Amino acid sequence: MNKPLERLYNGIIKENPTFVLMLGMCPTLAVTTSAINGIGMGLSTTVVLALSNLLISILRKVITDRIRVPSFIVVVASFVTMVQFLLQAYVPAIYSALGIYIPLIVVNCIILGRAESYASKNPPIPSLFDGIGMGLGFTCSITIIGAVRELIGSGTVFGFNIIPIKDVAAGTHGYIPISIIVLAPGAFFVLGIIMAIINRVKLNNIKKGRKVYEANCKESCFGCPHSNICLNSASETKVINSNKANE
Amino acid sequence: MKTVLVVTLGAAIVNNVVLSQFLGLCPFLGVSKKIKTAAGMGGAVIFVMTLASLVCSIIDKFILKPANLEYLNTIVFILVIAALVQFVEMFLKKNVKSLYNALGVYLPLITTNCAVLGIAIKNAQTGYNILLSTLNGTFTAAGFAIAIIIMAGIREKIEYNDYPESFKGQASVLIAAGLMAIAFFGFSGLI
């Protein structure tokens, strides 16, 4: 369970933060206008995630339970500020393309989620690899989304021309880019269709009787990282409804 | 006056926080099942975001800027927002019971709403003064409320429609959000 390789596999495939757990949606939609932006955002998040997991895991016996969330936030925010400076100094192009979404790595639910559910309970080395695995899983998925959007929206991937573009001035025939895909609505469409494909695979698995994730926990599903892949999970508003009922 | 109009209209409709800036997507996807809960969430966000932009811009102007500590704004703002939400919750619970009953359950969820921190940082980066920052916060939150209430209306309607099994759940919500984003594109020539 705690072997470094197993953590990497878990983060990249089994519990992929974007496609399986559906965490960190804001950067996923916002920065994936091109594959290179996806990689930039993904790697920055990976660095923050790995280092904050490591530090939180080292400090896990010092931080008391009551103040753990503010402490986690301070740790994460410090690393985000460092990454922000590094990007500004060495890759200003990426820095300006990602803009406000770099400081917003702080509120990315993947990072606090991993700190809470893994790093605060496990030794430093597995936590470091858990962070790297989750980060790489995130990087892979948003690079894939970025590449799809870039390919459909402007006919290129990583800035290289893949499909010959129709050029009226030069009189060449070719592909007319569907530019709405790189604009805001396209982000929703692409992610929606990807989600539908994943649902389809999941439904097929259930039909064939393959094993799907089923937790036997009694806690509320709200905020549970597995709520999207778990059969027991009811609606997302379960907590709110139960709170309402208590009043 | 003209700047005020441009900032408010731009924040609420033209650069809608959810549909064109992709901030605050988690509550937008999570608590948009019923119009009633969506309206509650919208109200709570308006309340918190107004306060948070006001407090953050005051801190930015009177503490961070004079001390040349602007680079610390991410750390400071997130802590201020988290503390503020806690205080507001305690204050409402003790003193304004009716408002607490309406908004209370949504308040803890707002700390994780990236739109609040996003707007505070954006205000500091664009260099709005305190009045404009507060207005920007309020109207951005109003834009969020508009988007989430429309979304809840759409979801209440499509719940009984017959569409492919694979699109049930988040997928259909995302497609609907895409169509809404196209509709909001129509406002882009406004300012």
Side-chain angles (χ1 to χ4, degrees):
Chain A
M1 181 64 194
N2 283 336
K3 289 189 194 98
L5 268 182
E6 191 274 326
R7 292 322 300 167
L8 288 180
Y9 170 76
N10 182 61
I12 297 171
I13 312 277
K14 209 170 124 206
E15 291 188 4
N16 186 301
T18 308
F19 293 146
V20 182
L21 302 183
M22 288 274 296
L23 292 172
M25 283 295 116
C26 300
T28 307
L29 289 170
V31 303
T32 51
T33 48
S34 68
I36 195 84
N37 282 356
I39 283 206
M41 184 70 201
L43 290 183
S44 323
T45 312
T46 308
V47 171
V48 175
L49 191 51
L51 292 177
S52 64
N53 258 10
L54 180 66
L55 190 61
I56 287 167
S57 166
I58 293 171
L59 295 175
R60 72 185 187 282
K61 292 194 177 111
V62 185
I63 298 173
T64 50
D65 211 36
R66 282 181 67 103
I67 55 148
R68 67 177 194 289
V69 174
S71 333
F72 294 167
I73 289 178
V74 174
V75 170
V76 176
S78 322
F79 283 119
V80 168
T81 311
M82 287 181 213
V83 166
Q84 195 176 355
F85 279 137
L86 288 173
L87 288 179
Q88 197 172 6
Y90 295 106
V91 265
I94 297 266
Y95 177 77
S96 56
L98 298 181
I100 194 168
Y101 297 99
I102 301 170
L104 287 182
I105 295 176
V106 182
V107 276
N108 191 326
C109 8
I110 301 172
I111 298 180
L112 272 186
R114 289 328 281 176
E116 177 90 24
S117 67
Y118 196 86
S120 60
K121 294 177 191 130
N122 288 286
I125 298 297
S127 299
L128 174 70
F129 280 94
D130 181 72
I132 295 176
M134 278 285 160
L136 288 181
F138 180 65
T139 311
C140 293
S141 13
I142 66 174
T143 309
I144 291 169
I145 299 175
V148 170
R149 284 180 69 189
E150 201 184 337
L151 183 68
I152 302 174
S154 46
T156 58
V157 172
F158 289 110
F160 296 111
N161 214 326
I162 304 289
I163 316 173
I165 305 284
K166 182 184 171 94
D167 192 342
V168 181
T172 50
H173 293 281
Y175 176 67
I176 304 168
I178 309 167
S179 54
I180 194 131
I181 296 292
V182 286
L183 297 174
F188 289 112
F189 289 142
V190 170
L191 195 68
I193 287 165
I194 290 175
M195 288 308 301
I197 294 170
I198 291 168
N199 276 345
R200 175 89 210 175
V201 173
K202 225 186 317 187
L203 286 173
N204 271 351
N205 280 352
I206 293 173
K207 242 181 237 159
K208 283 180 194 152
R210 264 191 225 134
K211 206 173 155 248
V212 280
Y213 195 93
E214 189 174 13
N216 35 13
C217 64
K218 290 194 177 59
E219 286 168 38
S220 119
C221 296
F222 187 82
C224 170
H226 300 109
S227 60
N228 280 297
I229 48 172
C230 172
L231 282 183
N232 294 340
S233 79
S235 62
E236 304 96 328
T237 46
K238 196 173 162 189
V239 161
I240 289 166
N241 292 338
S242 67
N243 280 353
K244 279 249 159 100
N246 290 340
E247 273 169 20
Chain B
M1 194 59 218
K2 203 179 156 201
T3 12
V4 170
L5 200 67
V6 168
V7 166
T8 51
L9 213 61
I13 294 176
V14 182
N15 296 317
N16 188 286
V17 64
V18 183
L19 299 171
S20 78
Q21 298 183 51
F22 303 110
L23 297 175
L25 275 170
C26 303
F28 179 72
L29 300 177
V31 264
S32 59
K33 275 214 171 124
K34 294 212 169 59
I35 291 184
K36 215 179 145 207
T37 45
M41 187 72 192
V45 169
I46 293 180
F47 189 72
V48 168
M49 220 189 242
T50 309
L51 267 180
S53 345
L54 175 68
V55 173
C56 286
S57 83
I58 288 174
I59 288 178
D60 190 49
K61 196 165 168 70
F62 293 111
I63 301 176
L64 294 182
K65 281 238 170 76
N68 272 330
L69 288 173
E70 282 116 323
Y71 61 88
L72 284 181
N73 62 11
T74 315
I75 306 179
V76 173
F77 287 175
I78 184 77
L79 285 178
V80 166
I81 290 167
L84 189 77
V85 173
Q86 288 276 316
F87 272 125
V88 166
E89 200 188 347
M90 288 194 294
F91 177 79
L92 290 185
K93 200 171 186 179
K94 205 144 191 294
N95 297 320
V96 201
K97 251 310 204 258
S98 57
L99 197 58
Y100 180 77
N101 286 341
L103 307 179
V105 285
Y106 306 103
L107 286 173
L109 298 177
I110 292 178
T111 327
T112 55
N113 185 341
C114 51
V116 184
L117 179 65
I119 291 308
I121 293 175
K122 220 166 212 174
N123 284 336
Q125 277 178 357
T126 33
Y128 285 147
N129 60 25
I130 295 177
L131 175 70
L132 278 185
S133 301
T134 316
L135 276 177
N136 192 19
T138 313
F139 281 87
T140 305
F144 175 82
I146 294 173
I148 196 172
I149 290 170
I150 296 179
M151 191 61 192
I154 295 175
R155 280 181 82 169
E156 280 188 1
K157 284 267 179 266
I158 60 174
E159 200 174 341
Y160 303 107
N161 288 4
D162 184 29
Y163 56 93
E165 186 93 12
S166 324
F167 278 90
K168 291 255 154 75
Q170 303 278 18
S172 63
V173 180
L174 285 165
I175 303 283
L179 293 173
M180 270 171 75
I182 292 184
F184 271 71
F185 249 26
F187 293 113
S188 59
L190 213 60
I191 52 168

